[in-house]
Amino acid sequence: MSPQERIQELSKELREYNYQYYVLNNSLISDYEFDLKLKELQKLEEEYPAFADENSPTKRVGGTVADGFNKVKHRYPMLSLSNSYSKEEISEWYDRVEKGLGKKPKLVCELKYDGVAISLNYKNGKLIQALTRGDGESGEDVTTNVKTIRSIPLQLQGDYPDDFEIRGEIFFPLEHFAELNREREKNGEALFANPRNTASGTIKMQDSAVVASRKLDCYLYFLLGENITVKSHFERISLAGSWGFKVPTEDKKLIYRTDNLDQLMEFISYWDTERKNLGFEIDGIVLKVDDLDEQDELGFTAKSPRWAVAYKFPAEAVATILEDVHFQVGRTGAITPVANLKPVALAGTVVKRASLHNADQIEKLDLRIGDTVWVEKGGEIIPKVIGVNKELRPTTAKPFQYIQNCPECETELVRKEGEALHYCPNENGCPTQIKGRMEHFISRKALNIDGMGPETIELLFDNNLVQNIADLYVLRKEEVLALERMAEKSSQNLIDGIEASKQVPFQRVLFGLGIRYVGETVAKILAKKFKNIDALSKATFEELVEVNEIGDRIAESVCAYFNEEQNIQLVERLKEYGLQLEMDDAELAQGTKLDGLSFVVSGVFNLFSRTELKKAIENNGGKVASSVSSKTSYLIRGENMGPSKLKKAEDLGIKMISEQEFAEMIA
Ligand code: IVH
């Protein structure tokens, strides 16, 4: 079998496994076997790029980094639906439709998926373009990211039209959303608030490999195109299913066709309670007139079709008793009030705690212990207290007093003018802050110390082995081994992890110091600008605010940090132990030569492998994009490069260079 034939055979097999698994829920092959086949295909495509298809199953794993998304006009505008919030309003809509048509309409009931709308364009059975809704007139081209969603077919099957559009909703399955947040919690990262916003953010991420890892899913609900003869919406959806799309099916009651108003109301009531068992979020039910000619007859208002309507479920809120309020202390000393509630079932979970945000919020609600409060779960993970039922207030309930001292170390709290939060100022004595800072220091995006987590910090701190981050670097294995729960191997891992962290680059160490308002991006900017910790520690407020993207708040915080003698000593110790507190020469040289330039790499190369080439671009501050656009600065042209890329680059007048020319650029 020729390589080309093998590529085609493997692509076909993998496509079928994908479809069976992600659309039909059938597992025909083990993950291991699937990966083996995928790797074989990847290897062949690398060896014979001329035979590699833009829509190969290997594109599912992502790996290309987009430099922004092009705005593209929608072929048909993407309208929204008018919303109804009661069954009466639905009845009224039904009456209007009946009156408009002069007969009882057949209606299709569907779920209103709570995600992000997407419009997919297929030509000759291949996914060509995926656009977000944008302003309804034009959207952003997120094709590369959408290709990583396994339930969206890249190559259709069956008898599909040559050219059509299909629309649907990309959503975050709850199981994968929870998994992502668990992982983030473990790494000390901020949790995502809700699946919908996270899906929407994910689809616009630059790195498609991250999109692939998020395991988004997509249901399709609207088929458009000139050459489709079927004139029933319901039948069009099932037709799309036969081409390989994930569409709602009757067997799971995800879609239902009826001309009976009572049955329609039943569908709404059924899903209002059943939605908690779905595995993804819906925020209502959509009703559509089935017959496309009838749809035409009814037409559109300025913003939405008259032939469809959305019934929105009411936001879920329950009443329960506020038993107590406790206060959490963060690593920066920020105090967060949390309501302790009498446990109550809400939207599929038992809620015991809810956020109260800050002192102002508590005052606004006029909250008292013993009050009956309304708790809402508006898509956020942490429910919030949204109101008080004052009629049920016990006569004994006393107005709530905000704490004045830190619940952990008793220090008097401070609240700066204009700030919503109270802070514990005892940075170097408050155990919760000290441990919090150490947890941040070892977290993945900072020093990423292997073999260490919050429990280890707790253990080391409670046993007086570490009081601050510098103490980690004088820890001895025997000391660790002597602790409860620490075995030979885990102790060695921990010591090795600490040792390895000495190679972590300056900007991550700076981020790890946990200076208030110095997040990952700010740390990177400061490291690049000041090049080493000494220069940064001596920088004045004026010098700091001169740096692009550094405002008063950050500058003030950096100055305050380096004004503390204890912090200066800490940094000195870190320096002494060999941590990276300056940008190394290679890093300094990097990031400038190709700053602001965007490259597309295509074809086969001799001097570099494709991976090396991409690395070299990024190491020199350039960006790698997967497709040629007006934003492309250079196309690095290898042998056998794809004809479509070549044509596009020529059409757009993009500069093409050879790998030799590129090597000279970075020399
Ligand atoms: S049909 C012309 N069907 O709701 C009508 N939309 O405000 C096209 N949505 O932006 C939309 N589930 O993102 C339709 N089963 C469904 C839907 C649905 C969710 C979203 C869609 C749209 C918004 C309408």
Side-chain angles (χ1 to χ4, degrees), residues 79-81 110-113 117 133 169 221-222 286 288 305 307:
L79 299 173
S80 54
L81 297 167
E110 293 170 15
L111 306 185
K112 187 167 190 306
Y113 308 97
R133 180 172 185 278
E169 199 89 350
Y221 51 60
F222 193 23
V286 180
K288 298 174 183 169
W307 47 263

Side-chain angles (χ1 to χ4, degrees), residues 213-322:
S213 73
R214 297 256 169 109
K215 301 183 187 143
L216 299 174
D217 203 346
C218 179
Y219 266 116
L220 282 312
Y221 51 60
F222 193 23
L223 176 62
L224 303 102
E226 273 95 54
N227 301 323
I228 307 163
T229 48
V230 176
K231 292 285 179 227
S232 142
H233 167 66
F234 187 83
E235 276 151 33
R236 281 184 168 215
I237 292 299
S238 101
L239 194 61
S242 75
W243 303 332
F245 290 104
K246 178 158 173 162
V247 292
T249 51
E250 271 179 298
D251 58 340
K252 294 191 198 129
K253 293 206 173 93
L254 299 176
I255 189 166
Y256 179 61
R257 182 162 58 171
T258 178
D259 60 2
N260 180 311
L261 190 61
D262 290 340
Q263 283 179 344
L264 183 156
M265 297 296 184
E266 244 172 63
F267 186 87
I268 292 180
S269 304
Y270 174 79
W271 281 114
D272 196 2
T273 49
E274 269 312 297
R275 66 180 155 136
K276 58 177 180 293
N277 301 321
L278 254 179
F280 55 87
E281 290 195 329
I282 61 173
D283 60 340
I285 297 294
V286 180
L287 308 170
K288 298 174 183 169
V289 169
D290 184 43
D291 187 307
L292 267 66
D293 292 329
E294 291 178 6
Q295 288 188 0
D296 277 347
E297 221 178 308
L298 291 163
F300 295 83
T301 67
K303 278 189 286 184
S304 50
R306 286 199 190 86
W307 47 263
V309 71
Y311 170 84
K312 300 264 276 192
F313 294 131
E316 281 196 75
V318 283
T320 188
I321 307 286
L322 175 69

Side-chain angles (χ1 to χ4, degrees), residues 69-72 130-134 138-143 204:
F69 301 102
N70 287 335
K71 265 204 141 198
V72 179
L131 301 179
T132 61
R133 180 172 185 278
S138 36
E140 284 172 304
D141 183 339
V142 289
T143 315
K204 290 201 206 147

Side-chain angles (χ1 to χ4, degrees), residues 79-137:
L79 299 173
S80 54
L81 297 167
S82 64
N83 289 327
S84 301
Y85 296 91
S86 67
K87 288 188 173 174
E88 288 74 52
E89 283 180 74
I90 294 295
S91 267
E92 286 162 19
W93 171 79
Y94 180 88
D95 291 344
R96 279 199 301 278
V97 169
E98 189 179 351
K99 205 167 153 210
L101 296 173
K103 64 172 179 186
K104 273 193 183 315
K106 234 188 237 164
L107 296 174
V108 180
C109 314
E110 293 170 15
L111 306 185
K112 187 167 190 306
Y113 308 97
D114 198 11
V116 47
I118 195 81
S119 183
L120 308 172
N121 176 223
Y122 284 81
K123 284 204 174 84
N124 300 318
K126 285 192 192 311
L127 173 63
I128 297 298
Q129 195 170 52
L131 301 179
T132 61
R133 180 172 185 278
D135 59 7
E137 290 295 325

